[in-house]
Amino acid sequence: MKLFTAALISLSLFASAASQAQTSAAQADASAIASTADSRSIKITRSGSQQPSKGPAEYFTGSVQVEPLFPVHDPSRTSGGKVTFEPSARSAWHTHPLGQILIVTDGTGWIQQWGEPIEEIRKGDVIWIPAGVKHWHGATPNNALTHIAIQEQLNGKAVEWMEKVTDEQYRK
């Protein structure tokens, strides 16, 4: 009888452990399925739901507002933001490891590639900046500029910031 009781208790404990293991496995599977479903679901970011922030003084001259539009979502490496430059505001010189696209949505601005003349950009213009090309962009002295910037990250980095654009460089 003792042997029978011991066997029954052992089977009961084994069944309980197996049940807990199955429950844990089922929860893990459900979690993985939910995670996969979340990563495969359409996401809507409502207009105005992202708070703009002041462009850091180490990377910009003048008053600049940066509003994140979308972060990197794996497996993509692409992110985007809306950047507004008040008159005379501009970025520092910089490069992008995989290039950048700018879509001018309002105003008039300037863009310059290192060693080349300044070019005017206006509402509706789409600018492709190739990978590794040193450049800056910003507003003209008398007009604000807003553009959407789209870029990809390489090894977690989308931009390499360099020296600021001097007033002399800006006026040319």
Side-chain angles (χ1 to χ4, degrees):
M1 179 77 167
K2 286 184 183 181
L3 186 57
F4 178 72
T5 304
L8 190 57
I9 291 172
S10 294
L11 284 173
S12 176
L13 289 173
F14 177 75
S16 175
S19 175
Q20 283 183 331
Q22 286 177 335
T23 301
S24 293
Q27 287 172 340
D29 287 347
S31 205
I33 290 168
S35 177
T36 301
D38 287 346
S39 69
R40 298 190 46 82
S41 296
I42 292 173
K43 291 180 177 35
I44 299 172
T45 303
R46 298 292 176 196
S47 177
S49 67
Q50 304 283 68
Q51 294 302 313
S53 61
K54 184 175 167 67
E58 63 188 302
Y59 305 135
F60 296 97
T61 299
S63 180
V64 178
Q65 291 291 314
V66 180
E67 180 182 345
L69 294 177
F70 58 93
V72 171
H73 292 284
D74 281 338
S76 172
R77 300 180 295 186
T78 307
S79 64
K82 180 173 131 181
V83 185
T84 300
F85 299 84
E86 292 303 318
S88 296
R90 57 200 180 262
S91 72
W93 290 99
H94 60 285
T95 63
H96 301 276
L98 296 173
Q100 182 181 48
I101 297 170
L102 301 177
I103 304 167
V104 180
T105 59
D106 199 28
T108 304
W110 288 339
I111 188 166
Q112 183 179 24
Q113 178 175 332
W114 186 260
E116 299 293 329
I118 292 172
E119 295 190 57
E120 186 173 277
I121 55 177
R122 295 177 294 281
K123 182 179 181 176
D125 289 350
V126 177
I127 301 97
W128 163 244
I129 302 144
V133 170
K134 185 174 179 179
H135 69 286
W136 67 269
H137 36 95
T140 63
N142 299 314
N143 296 287
L145 171 75
T146 300
H147 66 56
I148 293 173
I150 302 169
Q151 55 279 318
E152 287 186 271
Q153 292 184 0
L154 180 62
N155 300 321
K157 194 168 187 178
V159 62
E160 178 72 36
W161 290 105
M162 299 170 179
E163 72 274 13
K164 284 192 166 190
V165 174
T166 66
D167 288 342
E168 183 181 321
Q169 289 170 322
Y170 178 75
R171 287 190 200 107
K172 286 188 176 185

